[in-house]
Amino acid sequence: MRLGGNYRTQMWDKQKEAFLPSTPGLGMHVEVKDPDGKVVLSRQYGSEGRFTFTSHTPGEHQICLHSNSTRMALFAGGKLRVHLDIQVGEHANNYPEIAAKDKLTELQLRARQLLDQVEQIQKEQDYQRYREERFRLTSESTNQRVLWWSIAQTVILIVTGIWQMRHLKSFFEAKKLV
Amino acid sequence: MGRAPSPAAALLLLLLLRAERLRGAELTFELPDSARQCFHEEVEQGVRLSLDYQVITGGHYDVDCYMEDPLGNIIYRETKKQYDSFTYRTEVKGVYQFCFSNEFSTFSHKTVYFDFQVGDEPPILPDMGNKVTALTQMESACVTIHEALKTVIDSQTHYRLREAQDRARAEDLNSRVSYWSIGETIALFVVSFSQVLLLKSFFTEKRPAHRAVHS
């Protein structure tokens, strides 16, 4: 699934008590991690940027943005306004661009949008199927663990009880109390 | 899905979602304990906006949420909700703010999903909206199918979130069962061993007194 994001930053100007229209010199570092924790995208952008990536593994991806500017640290009580826009799947497509590139009529473009939506639905269904399998494995593992543990606990209890009695019996016999 | 960075001590990050060329934003973010995360959006007057949110992981799966208009009036406030949906027609133009608060929790950080929609969906080609003639049958069929597919995608999103929530609970249960069984095995051995030792110690001490009685 494709994911596109773009952001814009604005720094708070304490003298003017307003946000500056743009912040030159301020960079943002964008890092994207896939569900296994592997870094998929790690790039430095300026105060405005646009990033895209395609996911290869289903699951929870992590998108982190942090500023790299040391100037910010000097302003106590400084504020940074971040405009963030993240689009996933079909929403990440730029339809005017697609229409121009493939020379589609309006109706063809609408049909293309519907096809993209259906593709997104299919991908989501595949994802759910994969998830259901994992979930079922986890539940069955829990079930097994509870079953084996109950049996093991009973066995341990009986064995410990027998050991206790035999040990104490031999102890009392040794002490000539029995 | 994305995670917003936690605010540093000296900076306050105000996240503003762009609504210029699209209808809104969906975001899944991590809300640390005793923290509040706010989002802002610039909205025109007379526009319909809607907010859906759901807590996916963490604690009792609940969060506080409130929404303020540019004049500071609270237009929506709920405490300890697991999921909710809210629509509102704006009366004032300006920056609207909605916040999620986890301040009532001291150690569980939460993952919250929200879907914020502003206005109606813009057409995919800029000049599509300026139609003077009515839509042809093909075009209105496309519009109907598009709306239906949007409903499907929305309900798929809710299923995906439900599944994530249930999976988090199931994995938590699985690990708790493991730890508890290991812990109980250890406790069992410790208790049975110390019972025997204690009993033995009773009889070892009494022995001199026992002999004293006999002699």
Side-chain angles (χ1 to χ4, degrees):
Chain A
M1 186 92 61
R2 268 191 53 214
L3 185 145
N6 58 69
Y7 71 89
R8 190 162 60 95
T9 57
Q10 283 179 306
M11 181 120 79
W12 176 258
D13 188 338
K14 276 174 88 171
Q15 287 109 15
K16 288 190 210 157
E17 297 266 319
F19 283 98
L20 300 170
S22 68
T23 325
L26 179 68
M28 288 287 254
H29 185 90
V30 177
E31 195 178 67
V32 179
K33 287 198 191 140
D34 76 355
D36 304 320
K38 198 166 65 90
V39 176
V40 171
L41 177 74
S42 177
R43 269 188 65 176
Q44 185 87 14
Y45 293 88
S47 72
E48 267 185 54
R50 164 164 274 198
F51 56 92
T52 61
F53 71 91
T54 309
S55 60
H56 297 288
T57 328
E60 198 176 87
H61 289 69
Q62 231 178 309
I63 301 164
C64 292
L65 288 98
H66 60 266
S67 76
N68 69 335
S69 172
T70 50
R71 276 201 310 169
M72 300 284 290
L74 298 172
F75 290 136
K79 284 197 274 189
L80 181 71
R81 177 178 280 182
V82 181
H83 298 244
L84 182 66
D85 175 15
I86 292 183
Q87 296 299 305
V88 184
E90 180 259 322
H91 299 299
N93 292 339
N94 186 350
Y95 285 102
E97 211 177 275
I98 293 172
K101 190 163 73 83
D102 297 340
K103 297 189 183 29
L104 301 173
T105 67
E106 197 184 295
L107 199 61
Q108 285 174 326
L109 192 66
R110 281 184 193 266
R112 172 69 65 93
Q113 189 187 31
L114 295 178
L115 285 171
D116 288 338
Q117 277 188 300
V118 171
E119 200 183 308
Q120 190 175 343
I121 291 170
Q122 274 183 309
K123 283 186 187 161
E124 183 82 36
Q125 287 180 328
D126 285 338
Y127 172 76
Q128 288 299 339
R129 201 176 326 157
Y130 159 78
R131 276 292 174 218
E132 188 275 332
E133 196 186 310
R134 285 276 298 262
F135 187 84
R136 194 164 20 95
L137 289 173
T138 308
S139 298
E140 282 178 1
S141 155
T142 309
N143 196 15
Q144 291 275 35
R145 283 186 193 186
V146 169
L147 178 68
W148 284 116
W149 164 242
S150 322
I151 293 171
Q153 188 185 22
T154 317
V155 166
I156 289 173
L157 223 76
I158 292 171
V159 164
T160 318
I162 292 171
W163 170 80
Q164 277 184 325
M165 291 304 121
R166 286 177 69 173
H167 189 83
L168 285 171
K169 187 169 173 218
S170 62
F171 172 71
F172 287 140
E173 278 172 355
K175 300 274 180 210
K176 299 187 175 59
L177 291 167
V178 179
Chain B
M1 294 204 230
R3 279 174 203 248
S6 50
L11 301 174
L12 198 63
L13 276 163
L14 307 171
L15 292 178
L16 203 140
L17 310 163
R18 283 173 55 162
E20 293 157 13
R21 60 178 182 91
L22 48 93
R23 59 194 175 129
E26 276 178 276
L27 205 63
T28 309
F29 68 97
E30 189 166 333
L31 188 61
D33 47 293
S34 313
R36 188 155 54 115
Q37 184 76 284
C38 290
F39 298 89
H40 303 71
E41 184 62 74
E42 176 117 25
V43 187
E44 301 286 321
Q45 187 194 10
V47 167
R48 199 178 67 95
L49 49 82
S50 77
L51 176 68
D52 285 332
Y53 62 93
Q54 186 171 352
V55 184
I56 304 181
T57 63
H60 291 292
Y61 303 88
D62 53 2
V63 75
D64 292 345
C65 175
Y66 66 88
M67 188 164 196
E68 267 180 26
D69 73 359
L71 305 168
N73 305 322
I74 306 254
I75 51 181
Y76 169 82
R77 179 193 280 278
E78 282 287 347
T79 51
K80 301 206 173 169
K81 269 279 197 178
Q82 287 198 358
Y83 59 86
D84 204 7
S85 181
F86 164 72
T87 58
Y88 179 74
R89 186 163 280 280
T90 59
E91 283 150 16
V92 180
K93 178 185 147 138
V95 175
Y96 283 74
Q97 158 179 288
F98 58 97
C99 299
F100 295 97
S101 162
N102 195 20
E103 282 155 341
F104 56 85
S105 172
T106 43
F107 55 81
S108 54
H109 59 248
K110 313 245 161 91
T111 316
V112 180
Y113 159 88
F114 72 86
D115 180 12
F116 184 67
Q117 318 267 38
V118 175
D120 300 316
E121 192 184 352
I124 48 176
L125 279 178
D127 50 351
M128 262 193 211
N130 306 333
K131 281 262 170 173
V132 280
T133 56
L135 297 174
T136 66
Q137 272 198 322
M138 280 292 283
E139 283 172 352
S140 33
C142 282
V143 168
T144 315
I145 296 173
H146 179 65
E147 294 297 318
L149 291 180
K150 268 206 289 187
T151 315
V152 173
I153 291 174
D154 274 343
S155 67
Q156 277 190 327
T157 303
H158 282 112
Y159 279 126
R160 187 176 68 235
L161 295 174
R162 272 274 159 79
E163 189 278 328
Q165 198 179 34
D166 292 341
R167 187 165 27 94
R169 277 197 232 225
E171 284 176 357
D172 185 42
L173 182 67
N174 195 12
S175 58
R176 273 195 283 162
V177 166
S178 297
Y179 289 139
W180 182 78
S181 20
I182 292 169
E184 216 194 283
T185 316
I186 294 169
L188 216 74
F189 283 132
V190 163
V191 164
S192 57
F193 207 65
S194 50
Q195 269 183 334
V196 170
L197 283 177
L198 199 65
L199 238 98
K200 281 166 82 167
S201 74
F202 285 153
F203 288 96
T204 319
E205 271 171 15
K206 274 188 190 165
R207 208 164 162 253
H210 189 75
R211 259 207 207 141
V213 170
H214 273 276
S215 63

